[in-house]
Amino acid sequence: MELRLALCLLFCYATSAEKYVLTTLHTVTKSSCHPEFTAVSFVNERQITRFDSENKTLTPIHAWVREALNDHYWDVYKQTQMSEYARLREELNETMKSLGHIKDVHTFQRRSGCEWDDKTFHVKGFDEYGYDGEDFISLDLNRMKYVPHTPLANTTAERWNSNITLLESQKQYYNTECVNWLKRFGRTNLEQTGNISFYQKKPFTPVICHVSGFCPSALKISWRKDGTEIKKNISLGDVLPDGDGTYLRDISIFSDELNISHFTCVVGDSSRDLSRNSLRFENSNSPSDTQSALPIAILCSIAIFIGTIVCVVGLVCYCKKNRSDPSDVY
């Protein structure tokens, strides 16, 4: 997979609930418009940390990220980014020198990390480099050998493949350390089931289970009746970004059953039972608002009808009285 395509797919990567991916994007550049170096890490689709050469501070994107690592491992993670900063800055200079690009502005990129399946315990690493946005070189983890993807990378491949220390450190990282980082962040932090609410557009229309703040985007959402998953009369909406690295989605069900207490909306390992109290209507604050609106309307109609009859009867009596009054005869 080309580096450019991989970078684009990173943000829409769909993974099952059993697989977790740690990805770090490193960028080093000579451009004066950007920090010389940035390192952004993701777990599945969620950004977890950022480091750049301007403040040299490792910043957690979410509170749970910092809480997942104690001070020792937090410092180790920061030092890892610092070391990569020094290495990639030197490699950019060497690559530019070998290509005769000394006076130009160029960029070196790295996408590295691993995928871990906590059911099968299978681990798959990846380590890809780009130069000015084009595929440059990658590490073949089966052979532990760097493979150039363009003739421009031949010199770099020869230099890296002769560096035994570099190869051993990469082997150690992809065989052990990368997965350990994923385990430290913890499964409970990597999967969030979000908030579950119920509503209808109006009575006798499908009931919608609205789920917000969940992650990853491929987290399973379903309806159950008495504990059994329902397959018919179900409409599953699109997954939409929630603006904070999480997602929202609707799943609706249509049923002519009056007892809605048999139904449950399930999101990952969490669920919420449907009830009259939890169901709201789209244009009201609660079901009782809509339920009470009908009697009020009926009462108003009755009052108007009675008032009209009273007025008509009064008018008729008045007219009869005037016709029978002797004073009106000349």
Side-chain angles (χ1 to χ4, degrees):
M1 178 183 294
E2 294 186 358
L3 180 63
R4 288 173 296 174
L5 179 59
L7 294 177
C8 294
L9 290 179
L10 172 64
F11 298 97
C12 56
Y13 182 88
T15 180
S16 68
E18 295 82 17
K19 292 183 179 180
Y20 304 100
V21 183
L22 174 62
T23 305
T24 302
L25 303 179
H26 301 92
T27 303
V28 59
T29 181
K30 293 295 184 179
S31 172
S32 59
C33 301
H34 304 280
E36 184 180 23
F37 176 81
T38 58
V40 183
S41 295
F42 299 82
V43 172
N44 288 4
E45 301 151 327
R46 305 188 70 189
Q47 182 180 348
I48 56 172
T49 62
R50 175 184 169 83
F51 176 90
D52 66 61
S53 55
E54 289 186 350
N55 54 39
K56 295 182 175 60
T57 300
L58 182 64
T59 303
I61 304 302
H62 308 281
W64 67 262
V65 176
R66 183 63 183 89
E67 295 169 359
L69 303 181
N70 60 32
D71 292 341
H72 169 70
Y73 284 116
W74 187 256
D75 187 62
V76 170
Y77 203 70
K78 175 183 176 180
Q79 292 303 319
T80 299
Q81 310 306 334
M82 291 284 290
S83 299
E84 193 63 15
Y85 171 31
R87 188 180 80 86
L88 288 183
R89 179 174 55 182
E90 180 180 348
E91 288 301 334
L92 176 61
N93 291 332
E94 289 294 329
T95 300
M96 290 175 61
K97 187 184 299 183
S98 66
L99 298 176
H101 296 165
I102 302 301
K103 296 182 180 181
D104 300 324
V105 175
H106 296 278
T107 302
F108 213 46
Q109 303 155 303
R110 183 190 184 195
R111 174 184 177 269
S112 63
C114 58
E115 177 186 292
W116 170 52
D117 190 319
D118 70 348
K119 301 297 183 183
T120 65
F121 304 108
H122 176 71
V123 180
K124 179 181 178 182
F126 48 89
D127 193 3
E128 303 164 344
Y129 293 80
Y131 183 72
D132 290 344
E134 300 292 337
D135 281 359
F136 191 70
I137 193 172
S138 64
L139 178 61
D140 185 334
L141 292 168
N142 293 323
R143 298 185 295 163
M144 287 309 299
K145 180 180 180 181
Y146 285 97
V147 179
H149 295 286
T150 172
L152 300 177
N154 289 338
T155 301
T156 301
E158 292 176 3
R159 184 171 67 253
W160 289 3
N161 286 328
S162 63
N163 189 336
I164 303 301
T165 302
L166 173 63
L167 293 175
E168 287 298 324
S169 66
Q170 298 303 322
K171 182 178 180 180
Q172 172 68 17
Y173 178 77
Y174 290 109
N175 286 344
T176 306
E177 295 178 16
C178 188
V179 173
N180 286 340
W181 284 116
L182 275 172
K183 293 178 180 179
R184 291 184 185 108
F185 287 118
R187 176 172 181 166
T188 56
N189 293 321
L190 305 181
E191 182 176 287
Q192 296 189 8
T193 52
N195 302 311
I196 302 173
S197 60
F198 303 104
Y199 73 93
Q200 278 182 299
K201 293 184 177 181
K202 58 183 180 179
F204 308 110
T205 61
V207 175
I208 299 172
C209 174
H210 176 71
V211 186
S212 61
F214 69 88
C215 188
S217 64
L219 196 64
K220 184 176 180 179
I221 301 174
S222 61
W223 277 101
R224 291 180 185 173
K225 179 185 175 183
D226 296 328
T228 301
E229 183 175 347
I230 304 173
K231 299 292 187 179
K232 296 182 179 180
N233 299 323
I234 298 295
S235 178
L236 189 60
D238 294 331
V239 178
L240 302 175
D242 214 0
D244 61 352
T246 59
Y247 300 87
L248 57 87
R249 194 174 201 180
D250 289 344
I251 179 172
S252 61
I253 180 173
F254 183 81
S255 175
D256 56 1
E257 294 190 33
L258 298 178
N259 189 355
I260 64 174
S261 63
H262 289 275
F263 298 92
T264 302
C265 185
V266 182
V267 182
D269 295 330
S270 299
S271 64
R272 185 180 181 187
D273 294 332
L274 177 62
S275 66
R276 295 291 180 187
N277 293 331
S278 65
L279 180 62
R280 64 180 176 83
F281 288 88
E282 191 173 56
N283 297 323
S284 64
N285 294 325
S286 66
S288 60
D289 295 339
T290 302
Q291 293 169 356
S292 62
L294 183 59
I296 292 174
I298 294 175
L299 290 175
C300 290
S301 299
I302 293 174
I304 293 173
F305 178 73
I306 293 175
T308 302
I309 293 176
V310 171
C311 291
V312 171
V313 171
L315 180 61
V316 170
C317 293
Y318 175 78
C319 292
K320 286 183 178 181
K321 179 178 180 300
N322 288 341
R323 289 179 181 177
S324 61
D325 194 341
S327 63
D328 292 339
V329 180
Y330 294 96

